[in-house]
Amino acid sequence: METIVLGIGETLVRDDRHWASWANWLGVPAHTLSALVGAAVAQGRDATDALRVLRPGMDVDEAYLARAAAGRGEHLDESDLYPDVRPALAELRAAGIRVVVAGNGTVRAGERLRALDLPADLVVTSDEWGVRKPDPAFFARVVEASGAEPGATLYVGDHPADDLFPAAAAGLRTAHLRRGPYGHWWAEHPDVVGTADFRVNALTELVGVVGGSSARPASEPHPARPGAEPHSARPAFEDGTGAVGGARPAKVSYLRGL
């Protein structure tokens, strides 16, 4: 493996501050919004549907802009990083791997991430690229930023529909991270298991992945099935109407899904 590309939200960055700030803006208890987010995740829906349950018809983009205008926009600092981020990224770079951070987020999120001076060769967000996951054009940009062939590039993320499946469709190697609501809830779904080249519980396991470890306990990297067609696989996420994946807003410019 020559390059590892990592998503942002629930891969590098915890989302608890994000959802707590939305709960505060809407004037509801944080646990109420968290429970609704959990319900959306379990149904395979977009997590922002939780906001629309509380405020039917809510335009999340407009609400985000209103929050920012009121001085209550997104915030990101060292305390938002998962504790394994710095050691894992540092180990990967020490092993000669190019490290890229590329996920959904605003221009401001990109600026704040770069200000943290992570051990990464490139940090970029979807708004800076002008295209958002899971759009195939985003993963085309990932391939460009990688500096390596798709088969020598590993994309790491927690979200099956936003990270795993479109990255695999782009020809990238993939690692599903059991982290955050989506990462935990869908970790054992057959399509996730069948599509992911590797499955990890922590970013520090990635060093073993690039080192070519062949051991595979249940919590360790999982090789793709020989002869399988993983790039077209998607889990049967149901939204109650029989639609796969649930409804998605065309574009939501804020720090989640990253």
Side-chain angles (χ1 to χ4, degrees), residues 68-154:
R72 295 167 66 180
E74 63 194 336
H75 183 82
L76 194 156
D77 63 26
E78 188 73 22
S79 67
D80 295 299
L81 295 177
Y82 277 99
D84 61 354
V85 170
R86 287 192 180 278
L89 270 55
E91 282 189 85
L92 289 167
R93 292 188 82 188
I97 303 297
R98 175 172 167 80
V99 175
V100 175
V101 174
N104 285 348
T106 62
V107 171
R108 179 176 178 177
E111 293 169 347
R112 287 177 174 260
L113 277 169
R114 287 188 290 275
L116 295 178
D117 195 24
L118 295 171
D121 298 283
L122 174 68
V123 176
V124 65
T125 64
S126 57
D127 276 13
E128 292 171 325
W129 272 351
V131 62
R132 183 178 178 84
K133 295 186 300 186
D135 193 315
F138 178 92
F139 290 93
R141 293 297 301 268
V142 166
V143 172
E144 293 175 8
S146 163
E149 292 297 317
T153 302
L154 182 71

Side-chain angles (χ1 to χ4, degrees), residues 21-237:
S21 66
W22 270 113
N24 182 265
W25 176 257
L26 295 174
V28 301
H31 73 86
T32 298
L33 181 53
S34 293
L36 291 171
V37 169
V41 169
Q43 294 172 24
R45 300 170 67 95
D46 193 282
T48 56
D49 285 349
L51 301 174
R52 299 181 186 89
V53 170
L54 293 168
R55 298 291 184 272
M58 174 183 184
D59 186 313
V60 180
D61 277 336
E62 288 184 3
Y64 168 81
L65 294 174
R67 284 181 52 194
R72 295 167 66 180
E74 63 194 336
H75 183 82
L76 194 156
D77 63 26
E78 188 73 22
S79 67
D80 295 299
L81 295 177
Y82 277 99
D84 61 354
V85 170
R86 287 192 180 278
L89 270 55
E91 282 189 85
L92 289 167
R93 292 188 82 188
I97 303 297
R98 175 172 167 80
V99 175
V100 175
V101 174
N104 285 348
T106 62
V107 171
R108 179 176 178 177
E111 293 169 347
R112 287 177 174 260
L113 277 169
R114 287 188 290 275
L116 295 178
D117 195 24
L118 295 171
D121 298 283
L122 174 68
V123 176
V124 65
T125 64
S126 57
D127 276 13
E128 292 171 325
W129 272 351
V131 62
R132 183 178 178 84
K133 295 186 300 186
D135 193 315
F138 178 92
F139 290 93
R141 293 297 301 268
V142 166
V143 172
E144 293 175 8
S146 163
E149 292 297 317
T153 302
L154 182 71
Y155 193 87
V156 183
D158 65 294
H159 197 302
D162 284 358
D163 297 322
L164 179 61
F165 303 128
L172 299 164
R173 303 292 296 279
T174 59
H176 181 254
L177 176 63
R178 186 194 287 263
R179 175 175 284 175
Y182 288 98
H184 281 287
W185 187 261
W186 295 102
E188 301 303 324
H189 190 283
D191 290 343
V192 171
V193 173
T195 300
D197 292 298
F198 307 97
R199 295 189 295 151
V200 296
N201 290 327
L203 296 181
T204 46
E205 295 178 24
L206 294 172
V207 178
V209 168
V210 299
S213 172
S214 60
R216 190 179 67 81
S219 62
E220 291 296 317
H222 177 86
R225 296 169 297 179
E229 297 275 344
H231 301 345
S232 62
R234 294 179 65 88
F237 293 169

